[in-house]
Amino acid sequence: MNFNAFSSMRAFRIWDYRVSHDQLLLRSAKIKGYNENIDIIFYGVNYIQLSPELSGLTIQKMVPPFAAPYESVVQNLEFEGNNLFEIVSGRDVYLVAAAYVRVFENNLEFDESSLGQTEQGKGLEIGSIS
Amino acid sequence: MFVAAGTGAVIGSGVGAGIYLSGILAKPTLTSLGIAGAEYVATHPGEVNHAINSAGRLVANNSDKVERIAFGVREHLDKFTARVEATNYKQWGPGDFQSQFLEKIASPSTRIHFNLDGITNVMKAVQQGSRGYQNAGSVTNWELYQIYSQPEVLQRTTFYLNGIVVASPF
């Protein structure tokens, strides 16, 4: 099972969630030593099992066959566009079911979310996992 | 596929070794759900390219150039998409959704299937959608407004309510 992944040593937090297109934002906020936020946006989210704070993370799309946690997740994964992403932080392993993930760098302020922004407003896209 | 530069790092490959609670899942590919012939004709207006499979059911001819796309509120979207043999944004891949949407609906070969389930007041949704992508309240409102405001696109749109084709609300 080969797949690509995104990894960062920075600390992330669950920052925002929007019902529209079921978007979940994890942010590593710009702080001393880092001039930009890293915003990880999951689209089409239908399952979240995640700590609100993550000290470093690696995200990778799981490739079937794999064990899914709940029947509802299994049912959602029957639709071709839905995927299961594994998030490893330290020794902990979390799961998010979503369609795809996009990662941006931006200079948004603490109270500004990249969800709901125009494409340009989200910042510089540095990658995606699908 | 992950393509990255900057702060993040790319890891080439790995093994999804998570062990969770239930049995092994083998994800099936999306296949034709084989809707019955009469329903197929109703839900595929203007599409003459079809074939009859071995079970005597009309199925889409994948060789045609017609693209079917589906919209609606999230609670019903995936099942609806599969039922009308279309795709939705989840299958379009990562990218600027606004551009993807406008590009797809602008194509004369695109057939649009819009599920009205869960939209209690269509004209209010359109009104909210007219405020623009960022201020529409929901992406669905904006999508509905885009279809409503472009007669040529509206002509290629089939609306559904409670699982059946209904007249355009506009």
Side-chain angles (χ1 to χ4, degrees):
Chain A
M1 295 181 292
N2 297 314
F3 40 79
N4 298 320
F6 172 79
S7 186
S8 173
M9 299 294 286
R10 290 173 58 170
F12 287 80
R13 294 183 66 183
I14 294 178
W15 205 266
D16 196 6
Y17 186 88
R18 294 282 169 95
V19 173
S20 196
H21 274 192
D22 296 296
Q23 300 170 75
L24 168 68
L25 170 63
L26 306 184
R27 173 175 288 178
S28 174
K30 55 184 179 183
I31 54 173
K32 203 170 184 179
Y34 297 112
N35 295 324
E36 294 182 316
N37 305 313
I38 298 177
D39 280 0
I40 300 173
I41 306 176
F42 292 82
Y43 292 83
V45 172
N46 55 55
Y47 175 77
I48 300 170
Q49 181 243 319
L50 194 60
S51 169
E53 297 184 12
L54 301 163
S55 182
L57 57 72
T58 296
I59 302 173
Q60 55 196 10
K61 186 177 93 169
M62 299 186 72
V63 179
F66 50 72
Y70 294 105
E71 183 58 29
S72 60
V73 177
V74 173
Q75 287 175 4
N76 281 322
L77 289 170
E78 288 173 359
F79 184 72
E80 189 184 34
N82 292 330
N83 295 301
L84 191 60
F85 295 92
E86 183 183 68
I87 302 173
V88 179
S89 181
R91 292 184 170 185
D92 298 326
V93 180
Y94 304 101
L95 291 174
V96 173
Y100 52 82
V101 181
R102 301 175 73 192
V103 184
F104 296 87
E105 282 184 343
N106 60 52
N107 284 301
L108 295 171
E109 297 303 325
F110 183 87
D111 58 350
E112 293 178 315
S113 172
S114 51
L115 306 186
Q117 296 277 347
T118 62
E119 190 67 11
Q120 293 75 19
K122 290 183 173 66
L124 174 67
E125 183 169 6
I126 59 173
S128 60
I129 309 173
S130 62
Chain B
M1 176 182 295
F2 189 92
V3 183
T7 314
V10 180
I11 296 175
S13 63
V15 175
I19 296 174
Y20 303 107
L21 301 177
S22 69
I24 298 296
L25 170 71
K27 187 175 182 179
T29 58
L30 181 67
T31 57
S32 166
L33 298 182
I35 41 184
E39 187 182 357
Y40 182 89
V41 173
T43 58
H44 298 68
E47 295 179 37
V48 294
N49 291 327
H50 56 266
I52 298 175
N53 69 11
S54 57
R57 294 161 77 88
L58 282 167
V59 295
N61 181 348
N62 291 331
S63 65
D64 66 28
K65 292 185 177 178
V66 170
E67 179 178 15
R68 289 185 293 278
I69 55 178
F71 303 103
V73 297
R74 58 97 59 196
E75 287 80 2
H76 312 285
L77 185 58
D78 291 349
K79 284 183 181 174
F80 173 72
T81 300
R83 183 168 167 268
V84 298
E85 299 180 302
T87 63
N88 66 41
Y89 78 95
K90 295 180 179 181
Q91 295 156 291
W92 301 349
D96 175 5
F97 169 75
Q98 207 173 348
S99 300
Q100 289 175 324
F101 173 88
L102 292 172
E103 187 179 330
K104 284 182 184 292
I105 67 166
S107 169
S109 62
T110 297
R111 299 293 179 267
I112 299 153
H113 298 266
F114 208 109
N115 188 3
L116 296 171
D117 288 351
I119 303 174
T120 52
N121 187 331
V122 173
M123 288 315 297
K124 187 177 178 184
V126 167
Q127 191 178 24
Q128 290 179 325
S130 70
R131 296 173 187 160
Y133 185 75
Q134 286 177 271
N135 302 310
S138 80
V139 176
T140 304
N141 291 345
W142 179 79
E143 294 165 348
L144 201 52
Y145 170 73
Q146 291 298 322
I147 292 168
Y148 162 82
S149 62
Q150 301 179 60
E152 195 276 324
V153 175
L154 184 58
Q155 207 170 30
R156 288 185 277 107
T157 304
T158 304
F159 292 92
Y160 299 76
L161 187 63
N162 298 321
I164 59 172
V165 176
V166 295
S168 167
F170 308 119

